[in-house]
């Protein structure tokens, strides 16, 4: 294995998933009772109304939770991450970027396209292997919500809003990327693609942290102030689960409208999800803090109101009600 300086990405040709990773496939026949996703990462899994469902319906729910995660990932990569990454690569950000920064953006563009490909590929493999079909999936409601934040808080600056979206998302460390590869109970093909994905994302994290420093120092103070208020909203929105597909899957599993509403209300508004939000966002928040974002007027208040500033490792962090902005 060759070692390069961390700012040199020529090893991308050897280390990236799209260049050198194997095609991950379901090995052999697929048990519909397989652990498609870690149970503890499915917020409604232990809800009494979900526990009471017939075993086959529970298997379908778990498979569809995975499908939803993978479909979301495929869309997010191409429609959010690559929308901004393409601008950086093409030189359409308004920033004066060195060629190396643009070349790396094209490399990331390839990575994200590949992540979308293997995500949909595994949905199709598992659907074929189990006979559990995916439900129709629509990303547009989530995207409208996410883009709505920039349209409101950074009106007139759509490119900046897109660049901040990608910086935020690429510096988050979601519990799925972190935990699924380590979970030996989970179906191997799922662990493998999440591990492959996490490996590429580690490099993206470094790239977008540096990109943010360039972007930030180039912004006039008036725009920095507006951006500082926008960032916590973008974090919360990026991490807020889209509850529409959850509701659809619970409905197909046999729950009536009242039961679906109860399960979602009980499962997605707990203090645990606020703590998980802070944990996933800790690197992003540190990046912004180090760049001086929190020193701007109103910024610390905005991050605090979004629940992003309590001490993650504290014994009993004070919990705030979770904003349901991504639903
Ligand atoms: Fe990715
Ligand atoms: Fe990425």
């Amino acid at each position: 294995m060759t070692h390069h300086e961390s700012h040199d990405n020529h090893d991308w040709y050897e280390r990236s998933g799209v260049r050198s990773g194997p095609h991950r496939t379901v090995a052999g026949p697929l048990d519909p009772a397989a652990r498609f996703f870690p149970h503890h990462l499915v917020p409604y899994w232990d809800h009494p109304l979900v526990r009471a469902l017939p075993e086959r319906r529970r298997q379908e729910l778990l498979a569809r939770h995975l499908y939803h995660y993978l479909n979301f990932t495929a869309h997010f990569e191409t429609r959010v991450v690559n929308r901004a990454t393409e601008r950086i690569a093409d030189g359409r950000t308004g920033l004066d970027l060195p060629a190396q920064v643009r070349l790396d953006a094209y490399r990331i563009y390839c990575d994200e396209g590949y992540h979308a490909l293997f995500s949909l590929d595994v949905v199709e493999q598992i659907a074929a292997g189990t006979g559990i079909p995916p439900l129709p999936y629509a990303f547009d409601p989530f995207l409208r919500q996410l883009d709505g934040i920039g349209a409101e808080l950074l009106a007139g600056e759509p490119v900046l809003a897109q660049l901040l979206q990608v910086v935020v998302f690429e510096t988050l460390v979601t519990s799925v990327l972190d935990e699924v590869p380590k979970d030996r109970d989970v179906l191997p093909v799922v662990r493998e693609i999440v591990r492959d994905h996490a490996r590429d994302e580690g490099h993206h994290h470094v790239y977008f942290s540096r990109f943010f420093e360039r972007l930030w120092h180039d912004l006039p103070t008036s725009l920095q102030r507006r951006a500082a208020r926008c960032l916590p909203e973008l974090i919360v929105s990026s991490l807020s689960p889209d509850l529409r597909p959850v509701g659809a899957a619970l409905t197909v599993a046999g729950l009536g409208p009242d039961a679906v509403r109860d399960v979602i209300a009980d499962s997605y508004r707990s203090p645990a999800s606020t703590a998980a939000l802070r944990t996933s966002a800790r690197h992003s928040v540190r990046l912004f803090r180090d760049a001086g974002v929190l020193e701007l007027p109103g910024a610390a208040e905005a991050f605090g109101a979004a629940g992003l500033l309590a001490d993650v490792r504290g014994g009993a962090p004070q919990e705030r009600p979770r904003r349901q902005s991504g639903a």
Side-chain angles (χ1 to χ4, degrees):
M1 184 177 165
T2 54
H3 292 276
H4 293 270
E5 294 295 312
S6 58
H7 60 262
D8 181 328
N9 273 308
H10 284 94
D11 66 345
W12 177 82
Y13 297 92
E14 286 78 45
R15 64 150 166 81
S16 67
V18 65
R19 292 281 306 176
S20 59
H23 179 210
R24 304 296 190 180
T25 53
V26 173
L30 200 45
D31 180 359
R35 188 75 60 100
F36 298 111
F37 212 74
H39 291 169
H40 76 278
L41 294 179
V42 183
Y44 48 84
W45 188 250
D46 282 324
H47 193 284
L49 294 174
V50 173
R51 274 184 174 283
L53 289 169
E55 197 46 38
R56 174 67 184 179
R57 297 286 93 82
R58 279 170 63 79
Q59 292 164 2
E60 291 168 356
L61 264 181
L62 195 61
R64 288 187 174 129
H65 199 87
L66 172 69
Y67 297 165
H68 174 208
Y69 167 71
L70 293 174
N71 272 317
F72 173 84
T73 299
H75 283 264
F76 203 100
E77 301 289 42
T78 52
R79 299 180 66 186
V80 179
V81 180
N82 271 355
R83 178 172 65 178
T85 302
E86 184 191 67
R87 281 192 172 278
I88 300 169
D90 293 347
R92 292 183 295 114
T93 58
L95 294 165
D96 186 20
L97 297 172
Q100 279 307 325
V101 173
R102 293 180 49 200
L103 286 169
D104 282 345
Y106 277 124
R107 293 180 180 114
I108 291 170
Y109 189 91
C110 297
D111 290 343
E112 304 296 21
Y114 181 61
H115 300 161
L117 166 62
F118 67 51
S119 297
L120 181 59
D121 182 32
V122 166
V123 170
E124 292 302 317
Q125 288 186 45
I126 293 179
T130 59
I132 302 171
L135 301 178
Y137 177 72
F139 183 71
D140 287 44
F142 183 94
L143 185 58
R144 266 197 298 275
Q145 156 72 26
L146 186 64
D147 284 346
I149 292 165
E152 184 192 334
L153 298 175
L154 282 170
E157 298 288 340
V159 175
L160 177 60
Q162 290 176 9
L163 295 174
L164 293 178
Q165 283 174 349
V166 73
V167 166
V168 163
F169 196 76
E170 293 289 295
T171 55
L172 296 172
V173 180
T174 63
S175 46
V176 174
L177 280 188
D178 210 24
E179 293 173 31
V180 169
K182 300 174 203 157
D183 192 332
R184 292 171 182 278
D185 293 331
V186 170
L187 187 70
V189 71
V190 175
R191 294 178 63 197
E192 287 161 4
I193 60 165
V194 175
R195 189 188 302 116
D196 292 346
H197 197 169
R199 228 171 245 159
D200 285 339
E201 291 306 330
H203 294 278
H204 298 181
H205 185 122
V206 174
Y207 176 88
F208 281 103
S209 298
R210 291 197 180 143
F211 179 80
F212 176 75
E213 287 159 8
R214 283 177 187 276
L215 174 67
W216 192 253
H217 292 301
D218 205 61
L219 284 183
T221 311
S222 59
L223 263 183
Q224 282 186 344
R225 289 182 181 190
R226 293 170 67 201
R229 308 249 188 140
C230 188
L231 286 169
E233 300 291 320
L234 291 176
I235 291 173
V236 172
S237 185
S238 296
L239 288 172
S240 295
D242 185 354
L243 300 179
R244 287 174 185 82
V246 175
L250 291 169
T251 302
V252 171
L255 297 181
D258 291 345
V260 169
R261 210 169 28 244
D262 287 350
V263 168
I264 287 176
D266 295 343
S267 309
Y268 283 92
R269 289 167 205 265
S270 67
S273 50
T274 310
L277 176 84
R278 274 199 298 276
T279 302
S280 299
R282 66 194 187 280
H283 298 294
S284 317
V285 172
R286 189 184 310 137
L287 171 69
F288 301 146
R289 191 195 294 276
D290 289 349
V293 173
L294 296 184
E295 288 149 34
L296 292 164
E301 290 80 357
F303 277 78
L308 292 168
L309 292 187
D311 180 6
V312 177
R313 290 180 186 81
Q318 196 192 346
E319 298 296 350
R320 294 178 178 84
R322 171 88 177 273
R323 280 189 71 244
Q324 290 293 311
S325 64

